Amino acid sequence: MRTQHVLHAGDASDMSAVADESVALVVTSPPYPMIDLWDDLFASLDPDVGAALDAGDGDAAFDLMHAQLDAVWDEVDRVLAPGGMACINVGDATRSVGDEFQQYPNHVRIVDALRARGLTPLPDVLWRKPTNSHTKFMGSGTLPPNAYVTLEHEYVLLFRKGGPRSFPPGDDRRYESAFFWEERNRWFSDLWERRGEEQALGDHEERRDRSAAFPLEIPLRLIRMFSVRDDLVLDPFAGTGTTALAAMHAARNSVGYDLDADLFEALDDRLADLPAASRRRLTARLDRHRGAMADRDGGYEAAHYDFRVVTKRERRIRPYVVESVTEQSPADGRQYVLDHAPADDINGTPDEG
């Protein structure tokens, strides 16, 4: 099978290249309002943001920054298919503006914005990102009462457009995209622990002395949880292309937008050995399943492998590997065409019958 992945250089408030109701899943991490890393970006989009910060009016700056994101949520609502899911990774902000220190609840504002557009909020995930720094505590440290709790988590907010997505009975794409029982028990928890991931941004490191990018495992897990093979996945804040890379590993199509097209260069480096990396990742996944089944009795024979699974719905699971990557040259970003094949030969024997 073949998938296509396009990264557009442009503002996601106008995603006219994406058709109405064509996207099965949105996975993204927007710039976080009131995090100083993103002040210049928001001020470039609306000079009133900079004026509010200079005037010490944090509440006004917060509202103005989210107004810029609202235009993107309008487009997300337009392109998301009925039953489609939106997964938005965002953290709250803490900072002093003027003489006052406070927390700015970004996740609350985004929940309100998407609810206002008719999307249904579902139970969300707390992504805990622990730090071992001895200087992480804010305020007066060991002296009461003016110390502050340190934020060590972000949110993965989950929304659905309308009711659950429907499939034909026995749909091959859905059953082959199943996840293992032990993956379900681990993934569908409301608390994930995973450190963030720093990314080398080359000449752009002076503009991002720390990266807001999430590690590959986060979008890859979400894509496997909430989409099926050959679906279209959207990231309106694509950055260095981590969501696109996850979609490639999972045999989904993808489209992304970012104002800074130079950041797409970071994805090129990660595609150099993608076929081999794809096989390594799937080998590790199947090995983990074998380990989980080692001391478990019962279950069912898998259709495409020589191991057993816990439930009937897992019997037809059939992950795909990347066989080749071809880069094309659109005028406004990056485009890749990938060929995939079933991973029947990885640590297992296909059922010839």
Side-chain angles (χ1 to χ4, degrees):
M1 64 166 290
R2 179 164 289 180
T3 63
Q4 180 171 278
H5 307 266
V6 183
L7 295 172
H8 295 283
D11 191 336
S13 64
D14 178 10
M15 296 189 287
S16 55
V18 184
D20 293 357
E21 299 188 342
S22 63
V23 171
L25 175 65
V26 175
V27 177
T28 194
S29 185
Y32 300 175
M34 302 308 288
I35 296 287
D36 57 5
L37 172 68
W38 302 109
D39 286 355
D40 290 344
L41 171 63
F42 283 112
S44 70
L45 298 172
D46 182 357
D48 287 343
V49 169
L53 291 172
D54 291 341
D57 191 344
D59 290 339
F62 177 76
D63 290 338
L64 290 166
M65 290 179 181
H66 276 284
Q68 294 300 315
L69 298 183
D70 285 342
V72 178
W73 306 142
D74 287 339
E75 282 289 86
V76 164
D77 179 41
R78 177 184 67 81
V79 303
L80 196 59
M85 295 283 296
C87 308
I88 300 169
N89 167 223
V90 67
D92 290 342
T94 55
R95 70 185 292 177
S96 295
V97 179
D99 296 328
E100 185 177 15
F101 174 84
Q102 66 170 295
Q103 175 170 317
Y104 293 90
N106 288 322
H107 82 283
V108 173
R109 177 62 171 74
I110 290 176
V111 169
D112 288 345
L114 292 183
R115 287 189 66 201
R117 286 155 180 77
L119 274 67
T120 302
L122 300 178
D124 55 37
V125 173
L126 283 180
W127 171 21
R128 188 168 182 271
K129 303 165 65 175
T131 175
N132 296 322
S133 171
H134 296 298
T135 60
K136 67 181 181 180
F137 302 104
M138 297 183 290
S140 58
T142 58
L143 296 177
N146 296 328
Y148 306 113
V149 171
T150 300
L151 294 182
E152 294 188 300
H153 68 271
E154 296 183 0
Y155 293 85
V156 180
L157 304 173
L158 304 177
F159 303 86
R160 186 170 59 212
K161 186 174 182 178
R165 184 176 170 187
S166 61
F167 293 86
D171 183 77
D172 283 339
R173 290 196 306 144
R174 190 182 191 194
Y175 278 82
E176 290 185 359
S177 302
F179 32 79
F180 293 116
W181 175 256
E182 68 277 3
E183 291 176 329
R184 186 266 179 209
N185 293 341
R186 186 170 71 254
W187 295 352
F188 285 82
S189 165
D190 66 354
L191 179 61
W192 296 354
E193 283 212 36
R194 180 66 165 78
R195 293 190 182 279
E197 182 172 278
E198 294 183 0
Q199 294 193 13
L201 300 177
D203 294 338
H204 303 279
E205 290 192 34
E206 74 278 3
R207 286 188 283 137
R208 288 192 186 180
D209 56 2
R210 59 188 179 88
S211 173
F214 38 31
L216 176 63
E217 286 76 8
I218 299 296
L220 182 55
R221 179 181 294 191
L222 293 168
I223 287 169
R224 287 175 172 162
M225 290 167 66
F226 297 121
S227 69
V228 301
R229 174 171 53 81
D230 205 32
D231 272 348
L232 178 59
V233 178
L234 166 68
D235 186 348
F237 303 99
T240 55
T242 304
T243 296
L245 181 62
M248 294 174 184
H249 276 287
R252 276 67 161 171
N253 301 284
S254 72
V255 59
Y257 281 79
D258 204 276
L259 290 169
D260 189 350
D262 291 337
L263 294 176
F264 299 159
E265 295 176 7
L267 180 60
D268 294 338
D269 295 336
R270 293 189 283 178
L271 297 184
D273 68 340
L274 183 58
S278 171
R279 297 185 74 86
R280 288 194 301 270
R281 184 171 289 275
L282 280 174
T283 297
R285 183 185 181 195
L286 297 180
D287 283 348
R288 283 192 297 271
H289 174 69
R290 288 176 177 276
M293 296 298 293
D295 298 322
R296 189 182 185 99
D297 296 326
Y300 301 86
E301 294 290 340
H304 302 288
Y305 293 95
D306 65 353
F307 51 59
R308 300 180 71 79
V309 294
V310 176
T311 68
K312 288 183 178 180
R313 292 183 175 184
E314 299 165 75
R315 290 191 66 249
R316 290 161 57 188
I317 191 169
R318 197 178 202 184
Y320 279 57
V321 290
V322 177
E323 289 197 312
S324 66
V325 181
T326 303
E327 182 176 356
Q328 300 179 350
S329 300
D332 67 340
R334 295 282 198 282
Q335 182 171 333
Y336 309 91
V337 175
L338 276 64
D339 287 316
H340 306 257
D344 297 345
D345 63 333
I346 296 181
N347 279 348
T349 303
D351 182 356
E352 298 296 340

